[in-house]
Amino acid sequence: QVQLVESGGGLVQAGGSVRLSCLVSGRTGSRFAMGWFRQAPGKERESVAAITRSGGTTYHVNSVKGRFTISRDNAKNTVYLQMNSLKPEDTAVYYCAAGEVAGLGTIASSYEYWGQGTQVIVSS
């Protein structure tokens, strides 16, 4: 079985920074393409960032470009989402996802495994 556990969420003031972590267990994390999604109350789940199995290619949704960075440390089976210059509209539950898709996975259907989510609340 594959398990994904997110950590690092919490309360932060606008303009602050948070780093989310996603630990993959049960299988070697390096074999999966990885992604971060977020969902705010009353809104649909959206892709925030994605990274290929090797880490050689990344994607970031336009609204977070220049502020968020996805990365991975395959030796630690961990994927990160560094979030800087946070805005109130970034408030959401953030989910880590893993899949065997080739290349980048930018839609939810690309992923087979999901974490339970970690909440990020950005206050003004």
Side-chain angles (χ1 to χ4, degrees):
Q1 61 184 32
V2 175
Q3 293 182 322
L4 282 65
V5 180
E6 303 99 332
S7 62
L11 298 171
V12 61
Q13 293 189 14
S17 297
V18 170
R19 188 182 74 164
L20 304 183
S21 298
C22 175
L23 176 65
V24 182
S25 63
R27 295 175 66 180
T28 302
S30 61
R31 74 167 294 165
F32 297 113
M34 303 293 297
W36 285 97
F37 292 76
R38 67 184 180 186
Q39 187 166 27
K43 299 182 66 177
E44 67 179 84
R45 181 170 51 185
E46 67 170 341
S47 174
V48 177
I51 189 167
T52 54
R53 296 183 181 188
S54 68
T57 307
T58 61
Y59 162 83
H60 300 83
V61 69
N62 188 63
S63 61
V64 308
K65 285 183 178 178
R67 300 190 299 119
F68 292 10
T69 303
I70 187 172
S71 62
R72 67 191 302 162
D73 185 340
N74 287 337
K76 296 182 178 180
N77 295 325
T78 301
V79 178
Y80 305 96
L81 184 66
Q82 179 67 47
M83 305 190 294
N84 300 325
S85 301
L86 284 162
K87 304 174 181 179
E89 51 263 44
D90 295 319
T91 296
V93 176
Y94 285 74
Y95 297 91
C96 179
E100 297 185 16
V101 61
L104 292 167
T106 58
I107 59 176
S109 60
S110 296
Y111 298 96
E112 291 79 53
Y113 308 101
W114 293 81
Q116 62 184 358
T118 185
Q119 188 169 47
V120 175
I121 299 176
V122 184
S123 65
S124 60

